[in-house]
Amino acid sequence: MRKLALSVFACLAAAASAQPPAWRPTPLQGATEPADVVAQSAAADWRPIDPENLLVVDLADGGRIVIELAPAFAPVHVANIRRFARAGWWNNATVYRVQDNYVAQWGNGDAQIALPAGVVAQPPAEYERPLAGLALRPLGYPDSYAPRVGHVDGWPVAWDPERHMAWLTHCYASVGVGRDVAPSTGTGGELYAVIGQAPRPLDRNIANVGRVIEGIAFLSARPRGTGALGFYRTDHGEVPIPIRAARLAADMPEAERPRFEVMRTDTPTFAAYVRGRANRGGTFFQVPAGGVDICNVNVPVRRRTAP
Amino acid sequence: MRKLALSVFACLAAAASAQPPAWRPTPLQGATEPADVVAQSAAADWRPIDPENLLVVDLADGGRIVIELAPAFAPVHVANIRRFARAGWWNNATVYRVQDNYVAQWGNGDAQIALPAGVVAQPPAEYERPLAGLALRPLGYPDSYAPRVGHVDGWPVAWDPERHMAWLTHCYASVGVGRDVAPSTGTGGELYAVIGQAPRPLDRNIANVGRVIEGIAFLSARPRGTGALGFYRTDHGEVPIPIRAARLAADMPEAERPRFEVMRTDTPTFAAYVRGRANRGGTFFQVPAGGVDICNVNVPVRRRTAP
């Protein structure tokens, strides 16, 4: 009880000052290592990814980047992205920006190309969505940016219980829609992927539409552009990386489709996985942290053999 | 007062459940942008970096990586690193491990080379240090891993006010000492730099000895190794990156020494800088976050013209 009283006092003090409320991690010795949780998981702990939500980007040099789209969070942008893919928008486009510890971006850049039929030229600012309809699993640890963070259906999210709104968090490998300075100027034709420390200030400022689930190193291991914001300076001999084609898995011949599954985030298995991420142990880690940030959970994704 | 009562109730609820205490960001519109804070800073807002604390790593391909060492946190390891540099330990060594979203590591790897004279073969586990003597500036936002985070003398740190201990946090570009499975097996001869999402679970599990202040892209933009943990597989034709020489700036001719300064973290200028990082605005950001994590503050470092 003395501990509880102290905790209330700390909270009062925090409410009165600029300090965040007191929180102490509760490290757990002997938590199952995350890799072992994955190894011991059952088939029912995973959900397959719908091929309509898989964007397969093939680079001219042989690299393949596979992206899962998030229609539950940005339905109009995702519909646009499907139309761009089906119209061949990214075939012969390039990766033209690589900014260290931030993002890699691709598309047709400033080229004046007519939007494909059906693409919404000015989509709504799908930067957050109502909580209603989302089965949220709280992470259980504090966040530096939002009142609450956790997972829904395999996605890392933040939410505000007072405003009843939720949004995808910008984590390593998150995919967003490039836009101009004015909001709602991004169609989905120019996309970026995060290749550094989670740029959470972008949350609620730009449409977060998915995440790279395979091949992120084909973006992160590239030379950085020396122009402002990491744009490649072609006038200095920096060469944008050519994209051969970008297609939806649903449009690929059955035999060629990559198939993936994501660990479900509403199961005891996922709770064990988070516990393992927050309390790394095994042979190497001596001191478990007792906490983890939303962008270091890394929801497992793997190849699926059955269709 | 009603708000305060609610906040206390939320804290009580948090103490009783597994949930972290309630915290709401307080976004600030119109905060000075971080770049503007830097531009408007005075000379007294910066501290020069001692050339004894600057490790200059020159790669054979012309890339230069400059590291600031942190003797206040790992004195024995830093003394070792200075001895390694002076004995030419890294001359003709290699970067032999690049693991995506984690670390790049360099040194002599498994080569059997005698330790230079004066190197402590089994340094103490300098994974944390007493709070006493540190002028800590609290960040003012919650952290997912530690009771408190903030800055001291330009370094990002976490601390535990109950245990009276502090430690450097593993952020993007942090430099640590590779070790074997057993603790205290790292001398400082093998070093790694973080090239992805802050691997905070390494905090207090390994010696964090500094940070790359220039040239991190010469590590982060490299091909990833395909061996376990990102080690280059030379048997598969993967080529470690040769290091030409690594020297302390103090040992370079005056005219060749790179000179740097770090923004002081105990000033109103730094408070304005943090406020700007926590409340991105300007022309692009519409919704300031009202919070920032310790590894996204990015304490400014710049070239210094005067000696």
Side-chain angles (χ1 to χ4, degrees), chain B residues 58 60 88-95 107-108 113 241-246:
Chain B
D58 286 317
W89 176 264
W90 292 290
N91 305 357
N92 307 310
T94 62
V95 180
N108 290 296
I113 304 180
I241 301 144
I243 296 171
R244 187 164 60 73

Side-chain angles (χ1 to χ4, degrees), chain A residues 18-236:
Chain A
Q19 285 310 305
W23 172 78
R24 285 189 66 79
T26 48
L28 184 68
Q29 291 286 351
T32 307
E33 279 286 279
D36 295 332
V37 174
V38 171
Q40 294 158 15
S41 65
D45 290 320
W46 301 78
R47 70 157 168 82
I49 297 180
D50 183 339
E52 276 285 320
N53 291 338
L54 267 189
L55 181 66
V56 180
V57 181
D58 287 316
L59 303 177
D61 64 12
R64 171 171 282 187
I65 300 152
V66 184
I67 295 163
E68 182 183 12
L69 301 169
F73 286 85
V76 178
H77 285 88
V78 168
N80 270 3
I81 288 166
R82 291 190 187 118
R83 287 195 187 94
F84 277 120
R86 287 179 166 136
W89 176 262
W90 292 291
N91 305 356
N92 306 311
T94 62
V95 181
Y96 52 78
R97 175 191 180 193
V98 183
Q99 184 174 3
D100 196 65
N101 193 17
Y102 204 51
V103 299
Q105 186 167 329
W106 64 93
N108 289 295
D110 293 330
Q112 298 295 319
I113 303 179
L115 293 178
V119 164
V120 178
Q122 292 198 303
E126 296 172 317
Y127 303 166
E128 54 182 3
R129 58 151 285 168
L131 279 183
L134 296 179
L136 298 160
R137 179 200 181 276
L139 179 63
Y141 305 108
D143 184 65
S144 307
Y145 297 88
R148 284 283 178 267
V149 289
H151 293 86
V152 59
D153 202 24
W155 295 96
V157 295
W159 67 94
D160 185 337
E162 292 192 13
R163 291 179 47 249
H164 306 285
M165 299 296 279
W167 55 93
L168 291 178
T169 53
H170 274 81
C171 296
Y172 194 89
S174 286
V175 173
V177 170
R179 67 163 169 86
D180 216 326
V181 165
S184 306
T185 46
T187 55
E190 312 305 303
L191 297 172
Y192 63 85
V194 172
I195 57 164
Q197 175 70 10
R200 299 280 307 278
L202 291 173
D203 292 359
R204 298 194 293 149
N205 278 293
I206 203 161
N208 193 333
V209 294
R211 66 182 157 195
V212 176
I213 57 170
E214 193 177 272
I216 184 69
F218 291 113
L219 295 170
S220 60
R222 300 290 177 176
R224 277 44 180 158
T226 64
L229 304 174
F231 283 89
Y232 281 133
R233 289 200 59 175
T234 52
D235 59 336
H236 280 51

Side-chain angles (χ1 to χ4, degrees), chain B residues 247-262:
Chain B
R247 296 168 291 173
L248 292 170
D251 296 341
M252 297 170 70
E254 281 262 2
E256 290 174 25
R257 280 185 200 172
R259 292 180 170 83
F260 290 89
E261 55 189 8
V262 180

Side-chain angles (χ1 to χ4, degrees), chain B residues 217-297:
Chain B
F218 290 113
L219 295 170
S220 61
R222 300 289 177 177
R224 278 43 181 158
T226 64
L229 304 175
F231 284 89
Y232 282 133
R233 290 200 61 174
T234 52
D235 58 335
H236 280 51
E238 295 173 12
V239 184
I241 301 144
I243 296 171
R244 187 164 60 73
R247 296 168 291 173
L248 292 170
D251 296 341
M252 297 170 70
E254 281 262 2
E256 290 174 25
R257 280 185 200 172
R259 292 180 170 83
F260 290 89
E261 55 189 8
V262 180
M263 185 177 272
R264 288 176 53 185
T265 48
D266 58 350
T267 62
T269 297
F270 184 68
Y273 179 82
V274 170
R275 201 156 52 237
R277 291 293 300 170
N279 297 281
R280 294 302 306 278
T283 52
F284 185 83
F285 292 86
Q286 311 290 319
V287 181
V292 66
D293 73 274
I294 186 68
C295 286
N296 209 351
V297 171

Side-chain angles (χ1 to χ4, degrees), chain B residues 77 102 107 141 192 237 264 290 306:
Chain B
H77 285 88
Y102 204 50
Y141 305 108
Y192 63 85
R264 288 176 53 185

